[in-house]
Amino acid sequence: MSDQQGITVPKGKDFSEWYNEVTLKAGLADFSSVKGFMFIKPYGYGIWELIQAALDSLLKAQGHQNAYSPALIPERFLQREQEHVEGFSPELFVVTQAGTQPLEERLILRPTSETVVYDAYAKWIRSWRDLPLLYNYWNSVFRAEIKMTKLFLRTCEFLWQEGHTVHATEGEADREVRSILESYRTLMEDYLAIPVLTGRKSDKEKFAGAVYTTTLEALMPDGKALQMGTSHQLGQNFAKAFGITFLDQAQKRQHAWQTSWGVSTRTIGAVIMVHGDDRGLVLPPRIAPIQVVVVPIFQDASKDSVLKEAKHLQGKLEKLGIRVQLDDREGYSPGWKFNEWELKGVPVRLEIGPKDLEQQQAILVRRDSMQKQPVKWDALGTVVPALLEDIQAALFRKATSFLEANTRPAATLKELGRLAEKEKGFILAGWCGNKACEEQVKDQTGTDIRVIPFQPPAGACVVCGNSGQQACFARAY
Amino acid sequence: MSDQQGITVPKGKDFSEWYNEVTLKAGLADFSSVKGFMFIKPYGYGIWELIQAALDSLLKAQGHQNAYSPALIPERFLQREQEHVEGFSPELFVVTQAGTQPLEERLILRPTSETVVYDAYAKWIRSWRDLPLLYNYWNSVFRAEIKMTKLFLRTCEFLWQEGHTVHATEGEADREVRSILESYRTLMEDYLAIPVLTGRKSDKEKFAGAVYTTTLEALMPDGKALQMGTSHQLGQNFAKAFGITFLDQAQKRQHAWQTSWGVSTRTIGAVIMVHGDDRGLVLPPRIAPIQVVVVPIFQDASKDSVLKEAKHLQGKLEKLGIRVQLDDREGYSPGWKFNEWELKGVPVRLEIGPKDLEQQQAILVRRDSMQKQPVKWDALGTVVPALLEDIQAALFRKATSFLEANTRPAATLKELGRLAEKEKGFILAGWCGNKACEEQVKDQTGTDIRVIPFQPPAGACVVCGNSGQQACFARAY
């Protein structure tokens, strides 16, 4: 860390290069020598642990339980659901050998676990008493990406959770899909401070094997959309392919209804992009591994007394449940430390020096606005928690303003094209529901349908003019 | 669960079949259709989550941080450390294809991550200021086992943590190895309630690539040893193979010193074996996903009042931080429920029926001894936590007595052979330190050196008669 420089590329100048610099220099992740794969470093993994804790507790509060399913899947399992195998085949890693022996049957590294999990569910589920079955799996999945690697956003392996639930009725599965989507929204908005649009995917964009897919879409500062999570109604598609049946209360055998849903480490990429600035990362306090960094400032004469008080204040804040780090390293100037912790996006810096001792105060600096304020020691216990909440709220407000300012209507295909080219952002435009029109928009403007609102206003299709509904188009990651 | 039977094979009659029954019927895990792989069900995964939480907090308290490293490793990385690749080659899963293309370079599914992690460390570590580097990785690893699958004990994929630390001096790495071993001991003894012997492995049994390996060995009820965890001093072996160097404070470039260490889901297998009985699983309270199950007993007339009080008591115990489940399912008799929760090893059952309402009491039944006691509602808040502590301690005491009763000295190879055949358990015998003698013991008695105490008493070698030190031999999983 000692020879680390600050960010050299402004966010507004070269967004992609800025993203790489922040991700690498803040110590979040690194490229592995294994082509296409990512190393998540402790600071990035610390953010993931906080995201996991938040989501895990939201899921458990709704009765979900965690489990673990094998990482390797026999190729024949994937072939049982036609749409599913077609969707995933181009990007599968295949194991063909174990030890010195060729395998009798080729094994696939899970790109997602529907098939291997549902093979097991078919064995476990017998009666309505076994339903609903609400299991969630924290693991990593593998997709042989041929495009260029981008840390957190496009790698051959990423961490996520995948939920796989089984229900007795279609309505119950529908409600699960929506309830998960709302939990995901809570995670994105209340923890990551990133506003999202929710709704359905078009049939073209839905999950391979699903009846329908719901999604959360966020807007990045370069005007491109990022899918933050999806929740799928699988209907009875997989239940029929894998023979998942149950005896209902009337002793009649029925195929079950299923859902699957996932959120990945890609969300960390969104946090970097949405909140970061030219100094580096800016972390929302709720997912910041370090919420407050205490930087003591002293000369030889004042060292002992300043350090003593710095430790005291650290302990005081930790007792309130705040994640605090004391940076008492020797051989680094306070200015150097300020730069480093700004680069790492720590929400609040607490400075304390000899003059502050006299005043019984500390200087608080908030990372988002860089505003400074002196605060008396006695007041820190109330001011710091309030400041963290305020930063959390301010980041969400700012991101929401950006989303709103960059969501625009288009009445014609030409206007849609112009907006996609010049303004970027989300574009609301009418669509008749036909795939041909959707593909024509993609060809002519480079935008996909990111999301169709759950209650879309009516709107004439910008391609064919037939009556339809409003959909949200954008270029996307 | 509705058609579940109890355990049909006594533990003392067919230990292996008893183990399978308990593991499957308690809902801990299941065989996957993917040959050699295991599905960890929520109840088993819940135990793992508690083990993870306990160990994670022990590790973090010592300054370790979590990170994530890729699951796939280029074959050439493994070949850099000679002993390491020889140790692991026979059991590697090899990925040879991505999408429809053959890979340019074969990728190995990590059997352990030394090589891929140290490749990254070589890039990150430059100066003494970067040391010590104390990273830990929670993941799963893959070993193509040709022997028969045994849930939690022998599967082609298992969950674990692997720590990989880097230090400036040999002494510091030595201290890390021992400090981790002590954290592992705390986990095994204070949480899993399983006593362990600690010490070094012989060179023959050490980790492939290590200078020396330390280990924790537990004794299973069938008299076989189970390795519960290991902590390795890697010396500079991997640092030299991967070029991990740092500038010391005198600006001199040096190779770093490294350690690695791991504990896996195999420990859950030990918990099943050590504490279980003919009714099923017996869980130590500290790692029990459900510590107290409340079973209300009622007729139609008393249903409302009994259920109301059952819920009230549940809430009261939950407020104390106890993990409580209320079993208010309809259509199951109390006796059926008792059997099921005994099978699942819940430490304490709290029964409450109409007569108990009159007495303002509940009946507590402890799973380990099946002792019953009536307790007044007012006293539950003190009695239940104390009871849980008492069960935890009693399980450890019982296992310790078994370990002590089954650790025997042998003065001759013949006696060692007789003990290994008749008595099983740990056998303390003199060993000169030569591999030839170690192998002869193995050939003639089926026992390995499980562990050499850190301060071994002197003892003449049971094979060659030369002077040596006491080692602990046993047959093993």
Side-chain angles (χ1 to χ4, degrees), chain A residues 33 68 92 96 99 119 126 157, chain B residues 3 33 68 92 96 99 119 157:
Chain A
S33 310
Y68 190 79
L92 301 174
T96 56
D119 170 73
R126 299 178 189 180
E157 180 187 15
Chain B
D3 49 357
S33 311
Y68 189 78
L92 301 174
T96 57
D119 171 72
E157 180 187 16

Side-chain angles (χ1 to χ4, degrees), chain A residues 211-280:
Chain A
V211 171
Y212 66 82
T213 286
T214 64
T215 182
L216 307 98
E217 301 283 325
L219 190 60
M220 299 301 107
D222 60 353
K224 283 161 78 176
L226 186 72
Q227 180 178 299
M228 301 291 279
T230 46
S231 176
H232 316 292
Q233 163 65 277
L234 302 178
Q236 296 176 312
N237 291 350
F238 285 90
K240 286 177 180 165
F242 286 85
I244 304 176
T245 63
F246 67 98
L247 280 183
D248 67 15
Q249 294 198 49
Q251 295 296 307
K252 210 181 115 195
R253 186 158 298 280
Q254 299 212 28
H255 280 104
W257 299 82
Q258 296 182 264
T259 83
S260 72
W261 26 274
V263 155
S264 78
T265 39
R266 152 173 277 221
T267 50
I268 298 175
V271 168
I272 300 166
M273 290 196 279
V274 168
H275 302 304
D277 64 20
D278 290 349
R279 293 170 192 262

Side-chain angles (χ1 to χ4, degrees), chain A residues 1-3 30-35 37-43 45-46 49 56 60 65-74 76-77 89-100 103-104 106-107 109-110 116-117 119-121 123-124 126-127 129-130 135 137-138 140 142 144 157 159 330-332, chain B residues 1-3 30-35 37-43 45-46 49 56 60 65-74 76-77 89-100 103-104 106-107 109-110 116-117 119-121 123-124 126-127 129-130 135 137-138 140 142 144 157 159 330-332:
Chain A
M1 198 48 81
S2 50
D3 49 0
D30 200 355
F31 298 97
S32 166
S33 310
V34 194
K35 203 181 151 203
F37 284 77
M38 164 172 67
F39 211 115
I40 306 183
K41 295 177 84 171
Y43 198 54
Y45 198 84
E49 288 180 304
D56 202 65
K60 282 181 176 157
Q65 297 179 289
N66 291 328
Y68 190 79
S69 122
L72 292 178
I73 307 178
R76 77 192 135 93
F77 281 19
S89 282
E91 48 185 39
L92 301 174
F93 283 103
V94 189
V95 179
T96 56
Q97 190 177 321
T100 53
L103 283 173
E104 283 170 36
R106 287 150 51 102
L107 296 173
L109 263 170
R110 63 172 164 244
V116 64
V117 167
D119 170 73
Y121 285 0
K123 189 163 63 161
W124 297 338
R126 299 178 189 180
S127 136
R129 289 173 192 268
D130 300 321
Y135 291 179
Y137 305 79
W138 292 98
S140 73
F142 300 84
E157 180 187 15
L159 303 183
E330 311 254 353
Y332 297 85
Chain B
M1 200 48 80
S2 50
D3 49 357
D30 200 356
F31 298 97
S32 166
S33 311
V34 194
K35 201 182 152 206
F37 284 77
M38 164 173 68
F39 211 116
I40 306 183
K41 297 178 83 170
Y43 197 54
Y45 199 83
E49 288 180 304
D56 202 65
K60 283 182 175 154
Q65 296 180 290
N66 291 329
Y68 189 78
S69 126
L72 292 178
I73 307 179
R76 75 192 138 94
F77 282 19
S89 282
E91 47 184 40
L92 301 174
F93 284 103
V94 189
V95 179
T96 57
Q97 189 178 319
T100 53
L103 284 173
E104 284 170 35
R106 288 151 50 103
L107 296 173
L109 264 170
R110 61 171 165 245
V116 65
V117 167
D119 171 72
Y121 285 0
K123 189 162 63 161
W124 298 339
R126 298 178 188 178
S127 136
R129 289 174 193 268
D130 301 320
Y135 291 0
Y137 305 78
W138 291 99
S140 73
F142 300 85
E157 180 187 16
L159 302 183
E330 311 253 352
Y332 297 84

Side-chain angles (χ1 to χ4, degrees), chain B residues 94-376:
Chain B
V94 189
V95 179
T96 57
Q97 189 178 319
T100 53
Q101 304 290 320
L103 284 173
E104 284 170 35
E105 175 168 35
R106 288 151 50 103
L107 296 173
I108 305 299
L109 264 170
R110 61 171 165 245
T112 179
S113 302
E114 276 76 6
T115 57
V116 65
V117 167
Y118 303 162
D119 171 72
Y121 285 0
K123 189 162 63 161
W124 298 339
I125 294 169
R126 298 178 188 178
S127 136
W128 63 273
R129 289 174 193 268
D130 301 320
L131 302 179
L133 186 150
L134 306 172
Y135 291 0
N136 178 55
Y137 305 78
W138 291 99
N139 59 31
S140 73
V141 286
F142 300 85
R143 297 174 188 180
E145 291 276 355
I146 45 173
K147 293 176 270 181
M148 206 161 82
T149 304
K150 199 163 179 78
L151 294 169
F152 290 117
L153 298 177
R154 200 184 302 127
T155 53
C156 289
E157 180 187 16
F158 57 85
L159 302 183
W160 76 344
Q161 57 66 222
E162 47 179 321
H164 293 283
T165 70
V166 188
H167 306 267
T169 67
E170 181 177 19
E172 195 184 293
D174 278 332
R175 286 189 293 280
E176 171 78 3
V177 168
R178 288 295 289 273
S179 151
I180 291 297
L181 200 71
E182 285 311 306
S183 293
Y184 282 173
R185 182 206 296 282
T186 301
L187 175 71
M188 304 311 162
E189 300 195 335
D190 294 356
Y191 289 83
L192 311 190
I194 297 177
V196 288
L197 298 187
T198 59
R200 289 195 188 199
K201 287 286 188 188
S202 67
D203 277 357
K204 176 170 172 280
E205 300 290 331
K206 74 177 185 193
F207 177 72
V211 171
Y212 67 82
T213 286
T214 65
T215 182
L216 307 96
E217 301 282 325
L219 190 61
M220 300 300 107
D222 59 354
K224 284 162 77 178
L226 187 72
Q227 180 177 299
M228 302 290 280
T230 46
S231 176
H232 316 293
Q233 164 65 278
L234 303 179
Q236 296 176 312
N237 292 350
F238 286 91
K240 287 177 179 164
F242 287 86
I244 305 177
T245 63
F246 67 99
L247 279 182
D248 67 15
Q249 293 197 49
Q251 295 297 306
K252 211 181 115 195
R253 186 159 299 280
Q254 298 213 30
H255 280 106
W257 299 82
Q258 296 184 263
T259 83
S260 72
W261 26 274
V263 154
S264 78
T265 39
R266 151 174 277 221
T267 49
I268 298 176
V271 168
I272 300 166
M273 289 196 280
V274 168
H275 302 303
D277 64 19
D278 289 349
R279 294 170 191 262
L281 197 61
V282 177
L283 286 177
R286 289 195 178 179
I287 56 160
I290 303 166
Q291 294 175 307
V292 176
V293 61
V294 176
V295 181
I297 301 165
F298 51 80
Q299 314 291 330
D300 284 350
S302 52
K303 180 176 166 183
D304 289 350
S305 52
V306 168
L307 270 185
K308 188 179 161 196
E309 189 55 37
K311 276 179 197 159
H312 177 243
L313 295 179
Q314 176 192 23
K316 185 174 170 175
L317 293 176
E318 282 176 341
K319 269 198 200 109
L320 298 172
I322 297 171
R323 297 182 287 273
V324 188
Q325 180 147 326
L326 170 64
D327 185 355
D328 57 0
R329 287 176 295 176
E330 311 253 352
Y332 297 84
S333 70
W336 194 96
K337 291 179 179 180
F338 294 172
N339 287 337
E340 180 175 13
W341 297 114
E342 286 166 13
L343 173 55
K344 290 174 93 78
V346 174
V348 173
R349 177 169 83 228
L350 187 155
E351 307 169 8
I352 181 164
K355 282 181 191 156
D356 300 311
L357 289 190
E358 287 163 26
Q359 309 277 332
Q360 304 216 336
Q361 68 174 26
I363 309 297
L364 294 184
V365 185
R366 55 188 285 172
R367 174 65 181 85
D368 59 341
S369 65
M370 298 305 292
Q371 275 177 329
K372 277 191 179 202
Q373 60 176 128
V375 176
K376 295 288 178 192

Side-chain angles (χ1 to χ4, degrees), chain B residues 364-429:
Chain B
L364 294 184
V365 185
R366 55 188 285 172
R367 174 65 181 85
D368 59 341
S369 65
M370 298 305 292
Q371 275 177 329
K372 277 191 179 202
Q373 60 176 128
V375 176
K376 295 288 178 192
W377 295 341
D378 282 351
L380 282 172
T382 51
V383 171
V384 173
L387 187 57
L388 291 171
E389 281 303 303
D390 197 55
I391 294 170
Q392 182 80 31
L395 291 175
F396 182 66
R397 264 200 317 276
K398 193 176 159 199
T400 303
S401 299
F402 178 81
L403 173 68
E404 287 168 357
N406 288 281
T407 303
R408 301 178 182 88
T412 63
L413 183 57
K414 196 175 159 193
E415 193 180 354
L416 204 169
R418 190 190 61 78
L419 287 173
E421 194 57 39
K422 300 279 154 108
E423 309 281 352
K424 314 244 172 37
F426 285 131
I427 305 162
L428 301 172

